[in-house]
Amino acid sequence: MNSNLPTACMRCGRCCTSFGVCITLFDIKRIAEGTGLKPIEFVTFTPEPPERERTEPAILLEGKYSLLILKWKPKKGRVCKFYDENSGLCSIYNSRPTLCRTYPFKLKNNRLVDVKSRACPVLWIPEEAKQYITDLETYKKELKKYKKIVDFWNSNATEKDTLEDFLRFALNKY
Ligand code: SF4
Ligand code: SF4
Protein backbone atom coordinates (compact mmCIF):
# COMPACT_ATOMS: atom_id res chain seq x y z
CA MET A 1 0.00 0.00 0.00
CA ASN A 2 1.10 3.57 -0.68
CA SER A 3 2.51 5.12 2.50
CA ASN A 4 1.59 8.64 1.31
CA LEU A 5 -2.10 7.91 1.68
CA PRO A 6 -4.15 9.37 4.56
CA THR A 7 -4.04 7.12 7.62
CA ALA A 8 -7.62 7.51 8.79
CA CYS A 9 -11.10 7.07 7.41
CA MET A 10 -12.50 10.43 6.17
CA ARG A 11 -15.79 9.86 8.02
CA CYS A 12 -17.80 10.75 4.94
CA GLY A 13 -20.55 8.37 6.06
CA ARG A 14 -21.00 6.73 2.68
CA CYS A 15 -20.52 3.20 4.01
CA CYS A 16 -23.17 3.85 6.72
CA THR A 17 -25.73 5.22 4.26
CA SER A 18 -25.42 3.18 1.06
CA PHE A 19 -25.49 -0.56 1.83
CA GLY A 20 -27.05 -3.40 3.67
CA VAL A 21 -24.49 -4.02 6.43
CA CYS A 22 -24.03 -7.79 6.79
CA ILE A 23 -23.93 -9.00 10.37
CA THR A 24 -23.13 -12.27 12.11
CA LEU A 25 -24.67 -13.84 15.20
CA PHE A 26 -21.69 -12.52 17.16
CA ASP A 27 -22.40 -8.97 16.00
CA ILE A 28 -26.03 -9.38 17.00
CA LYS A 29 -25.07 -10.55 20.45
CA ARG A 30 -22.61 -7.67 20.94
CA ILE A 31 -25.10 -5.05 19.75
CA ALA A 32 -27.93 -6.45 21.89
CA GLU A 33 -25.66 -6.41 24.95
CA GLY A 34 -24.31 -2.95 24.17
CA THR A 35 -27.65 -1.27 23.44
CA GLY A 36 -30.20 -3.26 25.43
CA LEU A 37 -32.22 -3.67 22.20
CA LYS A 38 -33.84 -6.97 21.24
CA PRO A 39 -32.24 -8.47 18.08
CA ILE A 40 -35.51 -8.21 16.17
CA GLU A 41 -35.43 -4.43 16.74
CA PHE A 42 -32.26 -3.99 14.68
CA VAL A 43 -31.89 -7.12 12.48
CA THR A 44 -33.57 -7.68 9.14
CA PHE A 45 -32.75 -9.75 6.05
CA THR A 46 -32.25 -9.31 2.34
CA PRO A 47 -32.22 -11.88 -0.50
CA GLU A 48 -28.79 -13.40 -1.11
CA PRO A 49 -27.41 -11.66 -4.23
CA PRO A 50 -26.22 -13.92 -7.09
CA GLU A 51 -22.64 -12.64 -6.71
CA ARG A 52 -20.94 -11.23 -3.67
CA GLU A 53 -17.51 -10.73 -2.19
CA ARG A 54 -18.30 -11.34 1.47
CA THR A 55 -18.79 -14.81 2.88
CA GLU A 56 -21.46 -14.64 5.57
CA PRO A 57 -23.62 -17.76 5.19
CA ALA A 58 -27.01 -17.49 3.49
CA ILE A 59 -29.89 -18.54 5.73
CA LEU A 60 -33.15 -20.15 4.65
CA LEU A 61 -35.84 -17.73 5.80
CA GLU A 62 -39.42 -18.04 4.55
CA GLY A 63 -38.09 -20.51 1.98
CA LYS A 64 -35.43 -18.20 0.44
CA TYR A 65 -31.69 -17.88 0.98
CA SER A 66 -31.13 -14.58 2.75
CA LEU A 67 -28.44 -12.55 4.49
CA LEU A 68 -28.84 -10.92 7.86
CA ILE A 69 -28.27 -7.15 7.75
CA LEU A 70 -28.77 -4.16 10.06
CA LYS A 71 -32.09 -2.38 9.73
CA TRP A 72 -32.23 0.98 7.94
CA LYS A 73 -33.89 4.12 9.27
CA PRO A 74 -37.55 4.26 8.20
CA LYS A 75 -38.12 6.13 4.90
CA LYS A 76 -34.43 7.05 4.61
CA GLY A 77 -33.23 4.70 1.88
CA ARG A 78 -30.18 2.74 3.00
CA VAL A 79 -29.23 4.83 6.00
CA CYS A 80 -28.18 2.50 8.83
CA LYS A 81 -30.47 2.57 11.84
CA PHE A 82 -27.50 3.45 14.02
CA TYR A 83 -26.11 6.30 11.92
CA ASP A 84 -26.40 9.64 13.67
CA GLU A 85 -27.16 12.07 10.86
CA ASN A 86 -26.44 15.14 13.01
CA SER A 87 -22.95 14.17 14.06
CA GLY A 88 -22.17 11.86 11.13
CA LEU A 89 -21.01 9.28 13.67
CA CYS A 90 -21.99 5.75 14.63
CA SER A 91 -24.27 5.74 17.67
CA ILE A 92 -23.12 2.23 18.67
CA TYR A 93 -19.44 2.72 17.99
CA ASN A 94 -18.17 0.36 20.71
CA SER A 95 -20.59 -2.41 19.69
CA ARG A 96 -20.52 -1.87 15.92
CA PRO A 97 -20.36 -4.96 13.65
CA THR A 98 -17.08 -6.42 12.47
CA LEU A 99 -17.82 -5.30 8.92
CA CYS A 100 -17.93 -1.70 10.15
CA ARG A 101 -14.75 -2.18 12.21
CA THR A 102 -12.78 -3.44 9.26
CA TYR A 103 -14.32 -1.68 6.24
CA PRO A 104 -13.04 -1.29 3.53
CA PHE A 105 -10.37 -3.94 4.09
CA LYS A 106 -9.99 -7.69 3.98
CA LEU A 107 -7.07 -10.01 4.67
CA LYS A 108 -5.00 -11.45 1.89
CA ASN A 109 -1.86 -13.40 2.82
CA ASN A 110 -2.05 -11.80 6.28
CA ARG A 111 -2.02 -8.29 4.79
CA LEU A 112 -4.77 -5.73 4.52
CA VAL A 113 -6.10 -5.15 1.02
CA ASP A 114 -9.09 -3.11 -0.14
CA VAL A 115 -12.33 -4.99 -0.69
CA LYS A 116 -13.34 -5.03 -4.37
CA SER A 117 -16.69 -3.46 -3.59
CA ARG A 118 -14.97 -0.52 -1.87
CA ALA A 119 -17.08 2.63 -1.90
CA CYS A 120 -14.83 5.12 -0.11
CA PRO A 121 -14.50 8.40 -2.01
CA VAL A 122 -10.78 8.50 -1.10
CA LEU A 123 -8.02 5.96 -0.69
CA TRP A 124 -6.66 5.57 2.83
CA ILE A 125 -4.74 3.09 4.93
CA PRO A 126 -5.34 2.56 8.64
CA GLU A 127 -2.63 3.69 11.02
CA GLU A 128 -3.77 1.01 13.47
CA ALA A 129 -3.42 -1.81 10.91
CA LYS A 130 -2.73 -4.36 13.65
CA GLN A 131 -6.18 -3.81 15.15
CA TYR A 132 -7.81 -4.29 11.72
CA ILE A 133 -5.89 -7.53 11.24
CA THR A 134 -6.89 -8.77 14.72
CA ASP A 135 -10.55 -7.93 14.05
CA LEU A 136 -10.45 -9.69 10.67
CA GLU A 137 -8.90 -12.80 12.22
CA THR A 138 -11.56 -12.80 14.95
CA TYR A 139 -14.19 -12.42 12.25
CA LYS A 140 -12.83 -15.48 10.43
CA LYS A 141 -13.16 -17.60 13.59
CA GLU A 142 -16.63 -16.29 14.37
CA LEU A 143 -17.74 -16.90 10.81
CA LYS A 144 -16.75 -20.56 11.08
CA LYS A 145 -19.00 -21.06 14.14
CA TYR A 146 -21.79 -19.02 12.56
CA LYS A 147 -21.67 -21.20 9.41
CA LYS A 148 -22.03 -24.39 11.44
CA ILE A 149 -25.19 -23.08 13.12
CA VAL A 150 -26.60 -21.88 9.78
CA ASP A 151 -25.85 -25.22 8.07
CA PHE A 152 -27.78 -27.02 10.79
CA TRP A 153 -30.67 -24.56 10.52
CA ASN A 154 -30.79 -24.77 6.70
CA SER A 155 -30.91 -28.55 6.70
CA ASN A 156 -34.06 -28.47 8.85
CA ALA A 157 -35.77 -25.21 7.82
CA THR A 158 -39.25 -25.10 6.32
CA GLU A 159 -40.93 -22.39 4.22
CA LYS A 160 -42.75 -21.21 7.33
CA ASP A 161 -39.59 -20.44 9.30
CA THR A 162 -39.13 -16.72 9.87
CA LEU A 163 -36.33 -14.42 10.99
CA GLU A 164 -37.73 -14.52 14.54
CA ASP A 165 -37.61 -18.33 14.48
CA PHE A 166 -34.00 -18.29 13.27
CA LEU A 167 -32.86 -15.76 15.87
CA ARG A 168 -34.55 -17.72 18.66
CA PHE A 169 -32.86 -20.90 17.47
CA ALA A 170 -29.42 -19.48 16.69
CA LEU A 171 -28.94 -17.18 19.66
CA ASN A 172 -29.70 -20.09 21.98
CA LYS A 173 -26.71 -21.94 20.55
CA TYR A 174 -24.21 -19.85 22.50
S1 SF4 B 1 -23.40 0.24 12.77
FE1 SF4 B 1 -22.41 2.23 12.91
S2 SF4 B 1 -20.55 2.05 11.67
FE2 SF4 B 1 -21.90 0.36 11.09
S3 SF4 B 1 -23.08 1.07 9.31
FE3 SF4 B 1 -24.28 1.52 11.16
S4 SF4 B 1 -23.73 3.63 11.74
FE4 SF4 B 1 -22.15 2.88 10.33
S1 SF4 C 1 -16.86 5.31 2.95
FE1 SF4 C 1 -14.69 5.06 3.55
S2 SF4 C 1 -14.00 7.14 4.09
FE2 SF4 C 1 -16.25 7.17 4.11
S3 SF4 C 1 -16.83 6.71 6.26
FE3 SF4 C 1 -16.78 4.76 5.14
S4 SF4 C 1 -14.71 3.93 5.48
FE4 SF4 C 1 -14.66 6.11 5.99
Side-chain angles (χ1 to χ4, degrees):
M1 280 184 171
N2 183 339
S3 58
N4 294 322
L5 293 175
T7 54
C9 152
M10 305 305 279
R11 301 204 167 175
C12 68
R14 188 177 290 183
C15 55
C16 303
T17 57
S18 316
F19 307 114
V21 174
C22 277
I23 46 176
T24 69
L25 292 173
F26 291 86
D27 293 322
I28 294 171
K29 199 175 168 219
R30 281 189 285 261
I31 295 170
E33 283 172 1
T35 62
L37 292 172
K38 292 179 188 158
I40 202 64
E41 293 178 269
F42 60 87
V43 180
T44 187
F45 61 99
T46 189
E48 183 190 24
E51 285 183 22
R52 62 186 169 114
E53 186 176 6
R54 289 183 62 85
T55 53
E56 286 84 3
I59 304 162
L60 268 173
L61 299 174
E62 299 168 14
K64 292 185 184 137
Y65 282 100
S66 308
L67 301 177
L68 298 190
I69 58 170
L70 287 179
K71 280 189 175 174
W72 293 305
K73 288 184 190 291
K75 300 180 186 168
K76 291 268 182 173
R78 295 189 163 201
V79 177
C80 173
K81 175 184 174 71
F82 296 114
Y83 183 66
D84 181 336
E85 289 170 285
N86 294 321
S87 66
L89 299 175
C90 174
S91 64
I92 57 159
Y93 190 77
N94 291 331
S95 320
R96 69 199 189 287
T98 307
L99 170 56
C100 308
R101 287 171 194 277
T102 58
Y103 191 82
F105 304 104
K106 64 179 180 181
L107 273 185
K108 192 172 177 188
N109 300 327
N110 294 321
R111 298 190 59 185
L112 292 181
V113 294
D114 288 317
V115 293
K116 278 190 207 145
S117 51
R118 185 182 200 288
C120 294
V122 290
L123 283 173
W124 62 280
I125 53 168
E127 196 169 19
E128 68 281 28
K130 271 191 187 160
Q131 186 58 53
Y132 277 73
I133 291 172
T134 303
D135 286 341
L136 282 163
E137 283 169 346
T138 302
Y139 166 76
K140 203 171 158 187
K141 286 182 199 149
E142 291 181 352
L143 198 58
K144 209 169 163 186
K145 292 185 193 165
Y146 179 31
K147 271 185 170 160
K148 263 191 181 176
I149 294 171
V150 169
D151 285 348
F152 188 80
W153 166 267
N154 286 349
S155 60
N156 295 286
T158 72
E159 293 210 343
K160 287 186 184 164
D161 286 318
T162 63
L163 173 62
E164 287 90 334
D165 295 325
F166 173 73
L167 291 174
R168 207 174 304 117
F169 161 83
L171 293 170
N172 275 336
K173 293 282 166 197
Y174 291 102

